[in-house]
Amino acid sequence: MIELLDRLLIWLFLLFISIFLVLISIFLPITIHEREELGIAMFGYPVPFAQQDLMQAGVDYLGDYPYKFTIGLDFLDHPSRIYIYKIPFLLSVIVVYVGLLIIRYLHNRFLF
C-alpha cells in the first residue's frame, strides 16, 4: 500500500514538473523567417500552443530575417493578447510527461 502511494506521488510530482516546464517554454525564443510571420507567432515547446501578434505587441524589427523573437510582454506600451490553445498545450504536457517517465524508468533500471 505504501509503495503504491509512493508511486502515485511520484507520478503526480512528474505531472506538475511537466506542466511547469511546458508553461515556462513560452519564454524561449522562436525563429521568425519573414515579417508576415510576426502576426501569428506561435510559442511553446514541444508543440506550439501560445499565439501572439508580435506586430500588435510593439515589435518594430526592421532588420534581416530569420531572426529570433521572444514573447512580447510589454503590456504598458502596447496591449496585446496571448492566446493559449488547450489541445496543443495538453499534447505538450503529455509529451514532456512521457519523456520524464521514460527518464525515470531508465534511471531506476540502470542506476539501481
Side-chain angles (χ1 to χ4, degrees), residues 32-41 52-55 65:
I32 300 290
H33 297 283
E34 55 189 37
R35 184 159 177 79
E36 289 78 27
E37 291 180 30
L38 288 174
I40 54 166
Q52 184 181 34
D53 183 354
L54 290 176
M55 287 184 191
Y65 290 93

Side-chain angles (χ1 to χ4, degrees), residues 48-69:
F49 60 89
Q51 179 183 3
Q52 184 181 34
D53 183 354
L54 290 176
M55 287 184 191
Q56 184 183 12
V59 173
D60 297 326
Y61 180 72
L62 298 174
D64 294 331
Y65 290 93
Y67 190 77
K68 293 198 178 282
F69 290 93

